[in-house]
Amino acid sequence: MRVVFITPASTLRRSPVYRWGSSLYGTRDAITGPLILAGIVRRAGHEVEVYEELRGTVDYERLYGWADVACLYTMTSNAPRAYDIADRFHAQGHARVLIGGLHASALPEEALAHADQVLVGEGSIRFSTSSRAAAPSPSSNARPCSTSMRFPGRTTRCSRPPATRPTS
């Protein structure tokens, strides 16, 4: 299976002037979620490509025919662009479109209007099964790592519940 991960950027952030100006401030860090998921999918034996529109232009015409699954990462600032890309994949390509990220987790019904499936929560928990499913549910919910907010400096572990302090 051929899987592409795309982190869209807003119109302003894709402009040459913005890219030039932001290059004066050093390197932009990549958003790690799509990179982690790409690693999981690649280790499962699939072909993977990863793109961030902040880093340059993307050859969508090639990707429409190449990708079997298109995965889009959304934040509120790039959600309209992600929805536009998803709609174009549906219109011009044959790929199944999955949308995840912070914005999609907060507003899954909005994202579902543009995607075949929305990943809500931690994508790494559900991604491998949803990318292989023949008839996935429209929205996959992942168990969050922690049910309560913690103070900085304490570690959060998914494997065991937080320790409780004695009350005396």
Side-chain angles (χ1 to χ4, degrees):
M1 179 170 32
R2 294 176 175 166
V3 183
V4 63
F5 290 86
I6 301 170
T7 302
S10 66
T11 304
L12 172 66
R13 290 178 167 233
R14 287 191 324 269
S15 74
V17 173
Y18 183 90
R19 286 184 179 157
W20 176 81
S22 65
S23 70
L24 298 175
Y25 294 102
T27 350
R28 296 171 298 278
D29 292 332
I31 295 174
T32 57
L35 297 175
I36 291 168
L37 295 176
I40 292 169
V41 173
R42 182 170 283 140
R43 281 190 297 279
H46 303 288
E47 291 182 62
V48 177
E49 292 186 8
V50 180
Y51 297 93
E52 285 193 339
E53 286 189 325
L54 281 176
R55 299 200 178 269
T57 57
V58 177
D59 184 3
Y60 286 105
E61 295 303 318
R62 185 185 71 77
L63 292 177
Y64 295 141
W66 181 85
D68 297 314
V69 178
C71 305
L72 304 171
Y73 177 81
T74 60
M75 295 179 286
T76 300
S77 63
N78 72 4
R81 174 69 177 160
Y83 298 157
D84 177 54
I85 294 168
D87 293 342
R88 286 192 288 149
F89 263 101
H90 282 133
Q92 298 181 28
H94 67 279
R96 206 169 102 218
V97 178
L98 280 67
I99 296 180
L102 299 171
H103 189 81
S105 292
L107 299 168
E109 294 83 13
E110 177 185 287
L112 192 56
H114 305 275
D116 297 306
Q117 185 174 9
V118 175
L119 298 178
V120 177
E122 294 292 327
S124 60
I125 296 170
R126 296 278 184 209
F127 185 79
S128 61
T129 55
S130 66
S131 64
R132 285 180 275 138
S137 64
S139 179
S140 291
N141 290 302
R143 182 182 64 82
C145 222
S146 173
T147 56
S148 62
M149 199 68 160
R150 297 191 179 197
F151 290 102
R154 296 184 67 191
T155 59
T156 302
R157 297 178 185 240
C158 294
S159 57
R160 60 182 153 164
T164 56
R165 294 184 180 177
T167 56
S168 55

